[in-house]
C-alpha cells in the first residue's frame, strides 16, 4: 500500500531545538546561545536547522555578543551554510564587531564566481560600508537583473554609492527607480533629497524632504538638517529656522541614543544602561524594536528591575492592555515605591471604569509622579464619579497650572466646561491663561475647540488664525483647523491642513 | 645667511576705502595655465631634528597623553628663514620622568637645525599641547603663545629672545587648551587671541574606558564635559583682557580642538570657526563690538550630511574650488571621513565632501593636522592631512583601523575636486600617530615643505622636491592694520585669472606657521599686478618685478601711498 507523504507522522524535533526555540520565545537570549553552543558541540554546526540560525544570530545581536556571533557565522560559512538570511544578520554582527574587512573576505570566499543575489548585495553593502563606492557599484552589476528579492535594495545601494562618488545623474536615476518600486522607501527619499540639493534643484529637494519627514520620523536629524538648509537656500528663512531648531533637538536625541547604545556595546552586562536605554526608547513609536530588545535583555539580566518592568508595561500598553497591567503589577511587586506603575495602573483602571481601584492607585502616588498627569487622571476620576463640576474643574485647573504645555489638560478643561454647560466660566479662565502666557497657543486652540463645539465656526476660525500668528508651526493648530474645515465641508482645504499638521508634527518628532 | 629672495615693496598706491586704484599694466609673457603645467609633486621625508615627542604615559591611559602635541614654523630671529618650535608632553602621574621642555631650533639657512637652550628659548615645561604665533606688539618679530594641559604661556619676542609675559598679559588660563589663533577681532590693529579649550579633564576625574571586550582604551570625549573657549582682547602694552564671557564663550562648551579665524562672510570682520570633537563644530560670525553670533546651523558647517556631529580635530581653509570664496576642510575620526564645507557666499556653506572626492580616501584614517596650500605650485590649493588614530590599541577593536597611520596629500585637480596623491608624492612612509602639521618653505627653494609632529615619536619633515614652476611669496607688513596682516586679502592678477589668498589666523591642529602668502604660478612668467586689501580697509596695489621671490608689501601707518624701490635678492633656487 502506498502511503502519502502527509501520512508519515512527523518526527518530534530534538529536545535541544525545542529548548532553543523556547528560550528565544522568552527572550532569554543568553540561554538560547548557550543551548545552541552545546548543541553544536554535540552535533556539529550543520545540525542546526537553517530556519533557526538567523534567530540564534539575532540572539547574539540582542545580547551584544557581536564577536561570538561573527565567529558563529564564520563556522556556518565553513560548512557552506552562509545563506541569504544568515548573511543579513551576519552583516550587522561583523559590522558591530568591527570586522568589516573580515566580513568582506568571508563573503568573497563564499561567493567565489557565484551570483547569489543576496550574498552579492551583502558584498556590495560591505564595500559601501567602507566607502568603496566604485567596488559597491561593480558588485551590484554582478547581481542578476531578474532578481526580485533585491529589487529595492539594489537600486538604493547603487544610488547611494553613485551619490558618494558625486555622480548625481546616475544617483538620481537609481534612487528614482527604487522609489518607483517602493514609494515609501524613506532612505532613498532622503538620499534623493540630498542629491537634489547638491544639484541645486532646491525646490525639488524641499518637496522630497518634506514628503520624507511626513512619512517617517526615522533619520529625522539628517532629513531636518538637509530640509532646513534647502529652505534657507530657497529664502524661506522663518520655516528654515523652525526646522533647524527641530533638527537640534532631533540631533540631541540621536546623540543620546548613540551614546546609550555605545555604552551597552562596551559593557553588555550592565543593567543600568539597559534601563536607561529602554526608558529612552520606549515611548518612541519608531524605536519599538530597539526598545523591545533593550527591555528583554535588561530583564534577562535583572528580572525584578521595577524600572524595566514599567518600561515593559509602557511598551505593551498600546497593544496589549492586559499584559501591560501585569507588567505594572510586577513592577509594584518588585518595588512598592514604583509610583509610576501606580499612575499607569490608575489610568488603565480608569479607562475600564474601575473607579475605586483607580482612586486607590492615585491616592498612593500623588506626591511622587508628574503633577499635571496625576491631576488630569484625577479630573477624569472626579468627572466619572459624578462629583460635579466644582470638584473636577479644580483638578483640571491644577493639571494646567502644573504644566501649561499639556494640551490634553487644557482640552480637558474645555470638555468639562461643555459637559457641565459652564461655557462662560471656561472661556473666562482660558482668556486669563492666554493673557498670562501670550506665546502659548494652546488656550486659543482650546477656545476654538469650544466654539467649534458650539457650531460658532467663524469665531473658531478667528481663534485658530490668532493661534497661528502666535506660533505658525504648532501642529495642533493645523489639526484643529482641518477639523473645522471638515465640519464646514471644505474637504480639500481640510486635507491640506491635516497634511501640514502631520508634516509639522513629524518635524517636531511628535 | 638669508635664503629667501625678499623684495620690500611699500604700497605704491593705497586708498582709504574699497576703491581699487588703477592697475599697472605689465606685459604678460606667460599666462598661468595651472594643472597642465604643474610639476610632479614629490616630497622626501627627513628627520632633521633630535626632538622626540613624549606623551608621558603612565599606563592609566589619561586622555591627554594621546592628543598632543604641535609645532610652530616661524622666523623667530628675523634672519629670513623658518625656524622650528616643538611642543613637548610631560610625565603624567606615575610615568617616568623626562625633560619636558619645549624645543626651539634655529634654521641655519641650509636646512640644518640647531637646538637653542636656556630661558630665552621659550622652554615651557608644562604638559604642552599646541602653539600660536603672532606679532602681538607690532614690533616686527613673532611672539609665541603656548597652549597647555595646565597653565598656558605667552612669550614676547625681544629680537629673538623670548620673555615669558604670561602673568602681565593675563592669558595664563589653566583649562586644558588645544589650538590657539591670533587675529584682530576688533580691527584696532592689535592681534587678539582665541584659545580653544578641550575637556574638563584632570587626573582626579579620570575614567577607565573601553571599546568593549573588556580591553581598556583611551576614553572618547563623551566621557568628560567640554570647557568654554577663551577669547582675549589685546589692550596693547602686552596686556590682554579676557572677553570670553562678553562674547558668550563660557556658555558654549564645545570640546574644541582646531580653530581658524577668517572673514567668512566678507563683512570686514574676522570670524571664528572651531572644530569640535564629538559635538557640533561652531561658526561664530563677528558682528562687531565683540559680539559674535553662532551661525553654525544656518551656515551648515556644524554637522555632516547625516546630521551628525563628528570628531572634529583640525581645520584648514582657503579657496579650495577657485570660486573666490573661503572654504573649510575639517579632519575627523576614522569611519567618519574628513569633510569639505564649500562656501556658497554670504556665510553659507554646503557639505561638498562627495563632490570633492575627499571622503572615501579619509575613511580609514583619523586626521589631525591639516593644511591647504599650493604644494605643486599650479595655482590652486592642495590639502595635506597628518593622520594617526587616538586609541593606541584600536587594532584590537577593529580589523580595518590602525593606530599608526600614513599622512596624506590630496592634490587639487580643478573644479573643487581632489585626487589622493599620497603614494606618488609622499612615497613609502613609516606610519605614525600624526598630530600637528605646519607648512612653509623651510629651505628657501620656492616650494612648500611640511612639518608633522607625531605623538610619542619623532617629527618628520616632508621636503618638497617639486621644480620647474613659478611662484611668488608675499609677506605682509601692516601699518594701520596689525603688522602680520592677519585678515588681509591678497589678489595676484595674471591675465584673466585672479589668485586670491586670505591671511587667516590659526588653522591646522595645535600648530602654527608665520609664513608669507604663497602663490604657485605654474608656467606664468610674470604677474599683472598684486592687490592687497588690508584689514584696515586700505587697498594697495603693488607692482612686482620678476617672480620666484618673496615680496614684502608694507602698509604705511597712515595708509598713505608711498613707493619704495624694491631691494631684491634672488631665490636660493635661482642662485
Amino acid at each position: 500500500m502506498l502511503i502519502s507523504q502527509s501520512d508519515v507522522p512527523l518526527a518530534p524535533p530534538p529536545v535541544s531545538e525545542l529548548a532553543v526555540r523556547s528560550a528565544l520565545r522568552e527572550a532569554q537570549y543568553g540561554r538560547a546561545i548557550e543551548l545552541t553552543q552545546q548543541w553544536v558541540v554535540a552535533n556539529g554546526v550543520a545540525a542546526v536547522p537553517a530556519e533557526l540560525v538567523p534567530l540564534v544570530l539575532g540572539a547574539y545581536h540582542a545580547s551584544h555578543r557581536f564577536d561570538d556571533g561573527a565567529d558563529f557565522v564564520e563556522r556556518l560559512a565553513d560548512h557552506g551554510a552562509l545563506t541569504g538570511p544568515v548573511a543579513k544578520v551576519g552583516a550587522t554582527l561583523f559590522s558591530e564587531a568591527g570586522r568589516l574587512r573580515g566580513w568582506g573576505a568571508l563573503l568573497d570566499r563564499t561567493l567565489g564566481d557565484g551570483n547569489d543575489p543576496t550574498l552579492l548585495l551583502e558584498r556590495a553593502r560591505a564595500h559601501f560600508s567602507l566607502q568603496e563606492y566604485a567596488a559597491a557599484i561593480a558588485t551590484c552589476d554582478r547581481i542578476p537583473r531578474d532578481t526580485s528579492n533585491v529589487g529595492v535594495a539594489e537600486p538604493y545601494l547603487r544610488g547611494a554609492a553613485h551619490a558618494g562618488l558625486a555622480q548625481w545623474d546616475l544617483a538620481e536615476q537609481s534612487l528614482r527607480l527604487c522609489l518607483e518600486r517602493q514609494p515609501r522607501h524613506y532612505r532613498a527619499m532622503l538620499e534623493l533629497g540630498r542629491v537634489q540639493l547638491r544639484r541645486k534643484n532646491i525646490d525639488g529637494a524641499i518637496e522630497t524632504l518634506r514628503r520624507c519627514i511626513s512619512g517617517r520620523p526615522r533619520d529625522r536629524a539628517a532629513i531636518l538638517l538637509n530640509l532646513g538648509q534647502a529652505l534657507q537656500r530657497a529664502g524661506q528663512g522663518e520655516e528654515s529656522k523652525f526646522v533647524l531648531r527641530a533638527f537640534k533637538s532631533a540631533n540631541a536625541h540621536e546623540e543620546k541614543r548613540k551614546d546609550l547604545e555605545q555604552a551597552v556595546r562596551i559593557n553588555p552586562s550592565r543593567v543600568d544602561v539597559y534601563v536607561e536605554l529602554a526608558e529612552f526608547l520606549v515611548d518612541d513609536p519608531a524605536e519599538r524594536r530597539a526598545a523591545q530588545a533593550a527591555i528583554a535583555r535588561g530583564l534577562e539580566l535583572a528580572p525584578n528591575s521595577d524600572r524595566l518592568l514599567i518600561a515593559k508595561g509602557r511598551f505593551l500598553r498600546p497593544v496589549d492592555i492586559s499584559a501591560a497591567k501585569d507588567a505594572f503589577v510586577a513592577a509594584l511587586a518588585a518595588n512598592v515605591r514604583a509610583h509610576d506603575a501606580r499612575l499607569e495602573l490608575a489610568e488603565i483602571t480608569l479607562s475600564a471604569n474601575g473607579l475605586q481601584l483607580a482612586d486607590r492607585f492615585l491616592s498612593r502616588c500623588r506626591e511622587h509622579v508628574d503633577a499635571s498627569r496625576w491631576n488630569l487622571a484625577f479630573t477624569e476620576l472626579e468627572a466619572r464619579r459624578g462629583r460635579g463640576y466644582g470638584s473636577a474643574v479644580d483638578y483640571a485647573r491644577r493639571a494646567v497650572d502644573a504644566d501649561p504645555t499639556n494640551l490634553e489638560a487644557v482640552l480637558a478643561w474645555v470638555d468639562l466646561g461643555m459637559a457641565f454647560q459652564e461655557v462662560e466660566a471656561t472661556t473666562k479662565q482660558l482668556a486669563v491663561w492666554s493673557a498670562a502666557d501670550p506665546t502659548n497657543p494652546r488656550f486659543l486652540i482650546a477656545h476654538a475647540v469650544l466654539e467649534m463645539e458650539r457650531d460658532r465656526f467663524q469665531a473658531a476660525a478667528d481663534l485658530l488664525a490668532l493661534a497661528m500668528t502666535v506660533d505658525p508651526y504648532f501642529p495642533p493648530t493645523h489639526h484643529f483647523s482641518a477639523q473645522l474645515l471638515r465640519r464646514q465641508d471644505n474637504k480639500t482645504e481640510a486635507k491640506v491642513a491635516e497634511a501640514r499638521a502631520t508634516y509639522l508634527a513629524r518635524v517636531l518628532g511628535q | 645667511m638669508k635664503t629667501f629672495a625678499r623684495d620690500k615693496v611699500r604700497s605704491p598706491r593705497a586708498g582709504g576705502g574699497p576703491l581699487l586704484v588703477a592697475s599697472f599694466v605689465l606685459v604678460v609673457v606667460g599666462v598661468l595655465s595651472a594643472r597642465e603645467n604643474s610639476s610632479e609633486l614629490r616630497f622626501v621625508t627627513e628627520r632633521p631634528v633630535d626632538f622626540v615627542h613624549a606623551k608621558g604615559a603612565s599606563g592609566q591611559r589619561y586622555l591627554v597623553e594621546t592628543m598632543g602635541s604641535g609645532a610652530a614654523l616661524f622666523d623667530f630671529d628675523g634672519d629670513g628663514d623658518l625656524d622650528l618650535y616643538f611642543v613637548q608632553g610631560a610625565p603624567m602621574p606615575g610615568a617616568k620622568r623626562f625633560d619636558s621642555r619645549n624645543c626651539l631650533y634655529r634654521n641655519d639657512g641650509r636646512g640644518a637645525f640647531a637646538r637653542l637652550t636656556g630661558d630665552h628659548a621659550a622652554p615651557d615645561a608644562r604638559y604642552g599641547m599646541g602653539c600660536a604665533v603672532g606679532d602681538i606688539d607690532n614690533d616686527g618679530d613673532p611672539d609665541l603663545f603656548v597652549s597647555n594641559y595646565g597653565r598656558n604661556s605667552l612669550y614676547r619676542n625681544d629680537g629673538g629672545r623670548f620673555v615669558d609675559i604670561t602673568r602681565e598679559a593675563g592669558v595664563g588660563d589653566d583649562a586644558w587648551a588645544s589650538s590657539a589663533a591670533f587675529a584682530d577681532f576688533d580691527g584696532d590693529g592689535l592681534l587678539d587671541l582665541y584659545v580653544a579649550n578641550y575637556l574638563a579633564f584632570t587626573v582626579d576625574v579620570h575614567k577607565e574606558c573601553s571599546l568593549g571586550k573588556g580591553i581598556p582604551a583611551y576614553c572618547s570625549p563623551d566621557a568628560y564635559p567640554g570647557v568654554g573657549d577663551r577669547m582675549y582682547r589685546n589692550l596693547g602694552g602686552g596686556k590682554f583682557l579676557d572677553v570670553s564671557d562678553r562674547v558668550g564663550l563660557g556658555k558654549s562648551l564645545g570640546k574644541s580642538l582646531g580653530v581658524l579665524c577668517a572673514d567668512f562672510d566678507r563683512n570686514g570682520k574676522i570670524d571664528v570657526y572651531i572644530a569640535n570633537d564629538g559635538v557640533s563644530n561652531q561658526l561664530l560670525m563677528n558682528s562687531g563690538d565683540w559680539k559674535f553670533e553662532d551661525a553654525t546651523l544656518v551656515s551648515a558647517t556644524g554637522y555632516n550630511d547625516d546630521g551628525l556631529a563628528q570628531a572634529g580635530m583640525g581645520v584648514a581653509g582657503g579657496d579650495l574650488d577657485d570660486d573666490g570664496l573661503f572654504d573649510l576642510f575639517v579632519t575627523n575620526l576614522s569611519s567618519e571621513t574628513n569633510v569639505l564645507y564649500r562656501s556658497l557666499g554670504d556665510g553659507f556653506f554646503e557639505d561638498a565632501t562627495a563632490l570633492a572626492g575627499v571622503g572615501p580616501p579619509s575613511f580609514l584614517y583619523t586626521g589631525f593636522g591639516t593644511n591647504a596650500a599650493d604644494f605643486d605650485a599650479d595655482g590652486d590649493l592642495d590639502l595635506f592631512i597628518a593622520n594617526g588614530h587616538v586609541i593606541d590599541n584600536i587594532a584590537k577593536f577593529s580589523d580595518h583601523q590602525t593606530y599608526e597611520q600614513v599622512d596624506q596629500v590630496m592634490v587639487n585637480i580643478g573644479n573643487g575636486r581632489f585626487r589622493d596623491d599620497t603614494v606618488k608624492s609622499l612615497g613609502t612612509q613609516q606610519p605614525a600617530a600624526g598630530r600637528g602639521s605646519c607648512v612653509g618653505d623651510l629651505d628657501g627653494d620656492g616650494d612648500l615643505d611640511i612639518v608633522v609632529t607625531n605623538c610619542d615619536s619623532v617629527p618628520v619633515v616632508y621636503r618638497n622636491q617639486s621644480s620647474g614652476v613659478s611662484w611668488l611669496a608675499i609677506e605682509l607688513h601692516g601699518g594701520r592694520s596689525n603688522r602680520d596682516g592677519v585678515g588681509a586679502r591678497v589678489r595676484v592678477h595674471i591675465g584673466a585669472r585672479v589668485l586670491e589668498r586670505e591671511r587667516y589666523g590659526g588653522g591646522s591642529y595645535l600648530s602654527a606657521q608665520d609664513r608669507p602668502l604663497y602663490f604657485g604660478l605654474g608656467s606664468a612668467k610674470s604677474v599683472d599686478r598684486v592687490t592687497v586689501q588690508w584689514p584696515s580697509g586700505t587697498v594697495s596695489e603693488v607692482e612686482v618685478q620678476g617672480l620666484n621671490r618673496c615680496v614684502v608689501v608694507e602698509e604705511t601707518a597712515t595708509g598713505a601711498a608711498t613707493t619704495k624701490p624694491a631691494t631684491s635678492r634672488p631665490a636660493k633656487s635661482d642662485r
Side-chain angles (χ1 to χ4, degrees):
Chain A
M1 190 175 93
L2 289 169
I3 43 172
S4 71
Q5 194 72 15
S6 58
D7 293 332
V8 179
L10 287 170
V15 176
S16 48
E17 184 184 343
L18 275 177
V20 172
R21 285 188 184 279
S22 162
L24 286 168
R25 214 171 17 249
E26 298 294 318
Q28 293 178 341
Y29 302 126
R31 175 100 184 113
I33 291 167
E34 198 184 310
L35 287 168
T36 308
Q37 283 171 345
Q38 287 169 13
W39 191 5
V40 168
V41 169
N43 305 306
V45 72
V48 184
E51 72 277 9
L52 192 60
V53 170
L55 302 177
V56 174
L57 292 175
Y60 278 105
H61 186 262
S63 51
H64 293 84
R65 291 171 61 176
F66 307 122
D67 250 325
D68 294 341
D71 290 345
F72 187 44
V73 173
E74 275 190 333
R75 293 182 68 183
L76 288 163
D78 290 344
H79 288 82
L82 185 53
T83 59
V86 173
K88 278 183 182 167
V89 194
T92 315
L93 288 166
F94 273 85
S95 167
E96 295 281 7
R99 290 160 60 175
L100 282 176
R101 286 247 183 270
W103 176 233
L106 184 66
L107 285 168
D108 283 341
R109 274 205 309 276
T110 309
L111 266 164
D113 293 329
N115 65 352
D116 180 300
T118 316
L119 294 186
L120 280 168
L121 185 67
E122 288 306 329
R123 185 65 188 104
R125 279 200 179 118
H127 280 304
F128 186 85
S129 298
L130 288 164
Q131 297 211 354
E132 296 162 357
Y133 298 131
I137 293 166
T139 309
C140 281
D141 288 340
R142 286 175 59 192
I143 298 174
R145 291 296 92 194
D146 55 351
T147 311
S148 60
N149 58 342
V150 293
V152 175
E154 188 267 335
Y156 167 69
L157 190 68
R158 189 187 285 273
H162 280 302
L165 292 169
Q167 295 167 344
W168 308 130
D169 272 343
L170 293 168
E172 190 159 344
Q173 205 177 306
S174 291
L175 294 166
R176 285 198 185 281
L177 177 64
C178 174
L179 285 166
E180 211 171 275
R181 291 179 185 173
Q182 195 189 109
R184 292 183 178 202
H185 195 299
Y186 294 105
R187 287 290 304 178
M189 223 181 268
L190 166 62
E191 203 59 60
L192 177 62
R194 284 201 279 224
V195 168
Q196 289 170 313
L197 194 56
R198 296 290 168 265
R199 303 185 81 183
K200 300 189 174 31
N201 176 4
I202 309 297
D203 291 342
I206 291 172
E207 194 194 323
T208 305
L209 293 166
R210 273 188 177 148
R211 202 148 37 95
C212 191
I213 194 77
S214 298
R216 193 178 77 154
R218 279 197 78 111
D219 302 315
R220 279 185 62 238
I223 301 166
L224 293 175
L225 183 68
N226 286 279
L227 177 59
Q229 286 166 9
L231 289 164
Q232 185 75 41
R233 284 164 68 176
Q236 298 178 34
E238 280 309 307
E239 188 174 341
S240 165
K241 274 185 206 161
F242 161 73
V243 170
L244 290 174
R245 265 201 309 271
F247 157 72
K248 255 192 135 170
S249 89
N251 171 265
H253 181 89
E254 285 188 15
E255 294 285 350
K256 170 127 199 233
R257 188 187 60 189
K258 221 172 62 180
D259 289 349
L260 288 169
E261 284 171 350
Q262 172 75 352
V264 163
R265 205 171 293 132
I266 288 169
N267 197 339
S269 48
R270 259 182 61 184
V271 179
D272 58 329
V273 190
Y274 286 101
V275 172
E276 219 182 316
L277 183 62
E279 288 178 344
F280 182 73
L281 297 173
V282 73
D283 294 324
D284 188 342
E287 299 286 4
R288 287 188 66 78
R289 278 182 64 180
Q292 187 181 24
I295 292 165
R297 176 64 183 150
L299 284 173
E300 195 180 6
L301 295 168
N304 292 321
S305 160
D306 56 316
R307 285 171 65 184
L308 281 168
L309 287 164
I310 291 174
K312 184 178 175 183
R314 276 160 58 189
F315 175 81
L316 292 167
R317 206 175 146 183
V319 289
D320 186 347
I321 283 276
S322 164
K325 219 162 118 183
D326 291 346
F328 293 129
V329 170
L332 275 175
N335 180 5
V336 286
R337 290 190 187 140
H339 295 293
D340 283 325
R342 282 202 177 86
L343 182 57
E344 298 276 359
L345 284 167
E347 287 172 351
I348 291 171
T349 347
L350 256 179
S351 60
N353 226 14
L355 305 187
Q356 218 175 340
L357 197 55
D359 192 5
R360 261 198 5 233
F361 283 130
L362 284 173
S363 51
R364 290 195 63 189
C365 68
R366 181 174 190 167
E367 302 300 325
H368 308 284
V369 294
D370 178 82
S372 184
R373 202 172 145 194
W374 186 93
N375 278 292
L376 186 58
F378 214 86
T379 305
E380 191 179 342
L381 177 66
E382 290 295 84
R384 282 176 186 261
R385 285 203 286 216
R387 292 267 170 93
Y389 178 68
S391 171
V393 87
D394 193 34
Y395 288 102
R397 188 198 309 271
R398 285 185 210 175
V400 176
D401 286 341
D403 180 7
T405 66
N406 185 345
L407 182 61
E408 223 184 313
V410 183
L411 290 173
W413 175 262
V414 171
D415 288 345
L416 282 175
M418 291 296 291
F420 291 96
Q421 297 180 343
E422 293 282 357
V423 174
E424 199 180 326
T426 304
T427 51
K428 205 170 152 189
Q429 182 58 44
L430 286 173
V432 170
W433 275 324
S434 204
D437 187 1
T439 60
N440 186 348
R442 290 165 188 80
F443 307 113
L444 292 166
I445 293 169
H447 195 171
V449 170
L450 183 72
E451 297 296 358
M452 220 189 313
E453 292 303 313
R454 298 167 72 200
D455 292 338
R456 293 168 51 160
F457 295 149
Q458 189 52 50
D462 291 346
L463 284 159
L464 288 171
L466 194 58
M468 272 186 221
T469 60
V470 169
D471 181 354
Y473 304 110
F474 189 52
T477 319
H478 299 271
H479 170 70
F480 286 109
S481 288
Q483 274 198 10
L484 178 63
L485 288 161
R486 267 195 294 272
R487 294 276 292 270
Q488 293 173 306
D489 247 359
N490 189 345
K491 284 180 188 158
T492 314
E493 290 288 313
K495 220 170 158 185
V496 173
E498 199 56 70
R500 181 90 179 142
T502 307
Y503 161 67
L504 294 174
R506 289 283 189 264
V507 167
L508 294 168
Q510 294 168 355
Chain B
M1 186 175 78
K2 301 195 177 185
T3 54
F4 277 112
R6 287 190 157 211
D7 296 348
K8 184 173 277 193
V9 180
R10 285 236 170 104
S11 308
R13 297 180 182 188
L19 190 66
L20 278 175
V21 184
S23 61
F24 289 91
V25 180
L26 297 179
V27 178
V28 181
V29 180
V31 175
L32 176 73
S33 170
R35 275 157 290 282
E36 61 269 32
N37 291 304
S38 64
S39 75
E40 191 166 299
L41 183 57
R42 195 169 63 82
F43 293 90
V44 291
T45 305
E46 294 177 0
R47 292 178 177 77
V49 293
D50 57 3
F51 175 82
V52 183
H53 178 261
K55 64 180 184 180
S58 65
Q60 295 297 310
R61 287 198 162 81
Y62 296 122
L63 186 52
V64 68
E65 296 164 5
T66 193
M67 300 305 292
S69 303
L73 188 52
F74 67 138
D75 182 11
F76 85 94
D77 52 4
D79 65 353
D81 53 38
L82 292 171
D83 309 297
L84 283 166
Y85 183 76
F86 290 100
V87 181
Q88 181 60 290
M92 292 301 283
K96 269 195 277 184
R97 303 200 65 77
F98 59 87
D99 183 354
S100 62
R101 287 173 299 177
N102 298 343
C103 294
L104 178 65
Y105 291 86
R106 173 177 278 143
N107 187 343
D108 71 355
R110 293 180 294 273
F113 293 87
R115 183 175 169 184
L116 303 180
T117 52
D119 288 348
H120 295 301
D124 193 330
R126 293 178 189 84
Y127 201 113
M129 294 304 298
C131 51
V133 170
D135 186 356
I136 58 167
D137 46 10
N138 291 333
D139 66 350
D141 49 29
D143 307 297
L144 179 67
F145 176 81
V146 179
S147 58
N148 289 316
Y149 166 68
R151 201 199 75 171
N152 301 322
S153 301
L154 179 62
Y155 294 96
R156 189 183 61 222
N157 187 343
D158 289 345
R161 292 162 69 84
F162 287 103
V163 179
D164 188 339
I165 59 161
T166 310
R167 191 183 295 269
E168 308 91 280
V171 294
D173 188 46
D174 60 3
W176 178 1
S178 52
S179 298
F182 284 109
D184 183 5
F185 297 114
D186 56 0
D188 65 353
L190 295 169
L191 285 179
D192 310 299
L193 175 63
Y194 191 96
V195 182
N197 284 330
Y198 188 37
L199 298 174
F201 167 83
T202 62
V203 169
D204 298 338
V205 298
H206 168 68
K207 293 179 183 173
E208 286 176 9
C209 295
S210 170
L211 287 181
K213 307 177 188 182
I215 303 168
Y218 282 110
C219 291
S220 88
D222 297 342
Y224 306 101
V227 189
D229 294 347
R230 311 310 292 177
M231 191 180 259
Y232 298 98
R233 179 182 182 181
N234 189 339
L235 302 174
K239 291 196 167 21
F240 286 77
L241 177 69
D242 186 341
V243 291
S244 315
D245 290 341
R246 180 171 169 185
V247 170
L249 296 178
K251 289 181 226 151
S252 167
L253 310 179
K255 307 187 181 182
S256 313
L257 286 178
V259 59
L260 190 148
C261 305
D263 183 5
F264 297 110
D265 54 0
R266 297 200 166 204
N267 68 348
K269 298 177 178 70
I270 304 292
D271 314 300
V272 187
Y273 184 77
I274 307 130
N276 287 323
D277 191 2
V279 294
S280 163
N281 300 324
Q282 283 170 291
L283 178 58
L284 304 177
M285 288 296 195
N286 187 347
S287 48
D289 196 26
W290 296 98
K291 290 191 179 73
F292 286 78
E293 197 182 320
D294 188 340
T296 308
L297 268 185
V298 171
S299 67
T301 52
Y303 302 85
N304 71 358
D305 236 8
D306 283 326
L308 296 172
Q310 296 180 291
M313 309 290 189
V315 54
D319 181 6
L320 298 171
D321 54 358
D322 211 12
D323 65 353
L325 300 168
F326 196 96
D327 310 301
L328 286 163
F329 179 75
V330 181
T331 52
N332 291 308
L333 199 64
S334 54
S335 304
E336 288 186 334
T337 84
N338 299 330
V339 173
L340 194 153
Y341 295 108
R342 174 175 175 262
S343 175
L344 303 170
D346 298 325
F348 298 118
F349 291 78
E350 70 174 358
D351 182 340
T353 307
L355 183 70
V358 296
S362 65
F363 184 76
L364 297 176
Y365 301 106
T366 295
F368 277 95
T370 181
N371 309 84
D374 189 359
F375 296 113
D376 55 4
D378 66 352
D380 52 27
L381 294 174
D382 312 299
L383 290 165
F384 173 80
I385 306 118
N387 290 317
H389 208 281
V390 182
I391 295 169
D392 55 352
N393 54 356
I394 187 66
K396 289 185 177 170
F397 303 99
S398 164
D399 69 358
H400 56 278
Q401 296 185 74
T402 55
Y403 174 59
E404 289 165 327
Q405 301 175 348
V406 293
D407 301 321
Q408 285 175 296
V409 171
M410 304 290 297
V411 166
N412 193 329
I413 54 171
N415 296 322
R417 291 176 183 261
F418 291 80
R419 182 189 66 226
D420 188 348
D421 203 53
T422 303
V423 175
K424 215 166 125 196
S425 58
L426 291 178
T428 307
Q429 292 182 62
Q430 174 80 40
R435 293 294 183 262
S437 66
C438 38
V439 168
D441 186 359
L442 264 179
D443 47 10
D445 65 352
D447 50 32
L448 294 173
D449 312 301
I450 307 164
V451 177
V452 178
T453 62
N454 294 311
C455 185
D456 217 32
S457 185
V458 291
V460 294
V461 169
Y462 295 116
R463 205 178 286 272
N464 196 334
Q465 300 293 294
S466 307
S467 60
V469 283
S470 304
W471 57 276
L472 187 64
I474 295 177
E475 192 169 312
L476 301 170
H477 287 176
R480 278 171 64 189
S481 309
N482 65 83
R483 195 173 188 283
D484 286 351
V486 175
R489 195 168 290 134
V490 178
R491 294 184 188 91
V492 173
H493 300 254
I494 314 145
R497 191 163 184 204
V498 181
L499 302 180
E500 181 172 314
R501 305 272 186 272
E502 181 174 336
R503 175 83 157 88
Y504 56 81
S508 193
Y509 174 76
L510 305 180
S511 301
Q513 56 222 354
D514 171 40
R515 53 145 204 262
L517 289 168
Y518 179 87
F519 293 83
L521 302 174
S523 61
K525 301 286 185 273
S526 66
V527 299
D528 296 339
R529 63 186 191 278
V530 173
T531 57
V532 181
Q533 188 170 340
W534 297 91
S536 65
T538 304
V539 178
S540 309
E541 190 167 299
V542 295
E543 186 182 2
V544 175
Q545 300 286 354
L547 300 182
N548 300 342
R549 62 196 59 240
C550 179
V551 176
V552 180
V553 180
E554 284 189 339
E555 180 197 33
T556 62
T558 59
T562 56
T563 312
K564 189 180 171 185
T567 51
S568 174
R569 274 184 297 274
K572 187 178 172 184
S573 52
D574 294 345
R575 276 176 276 165

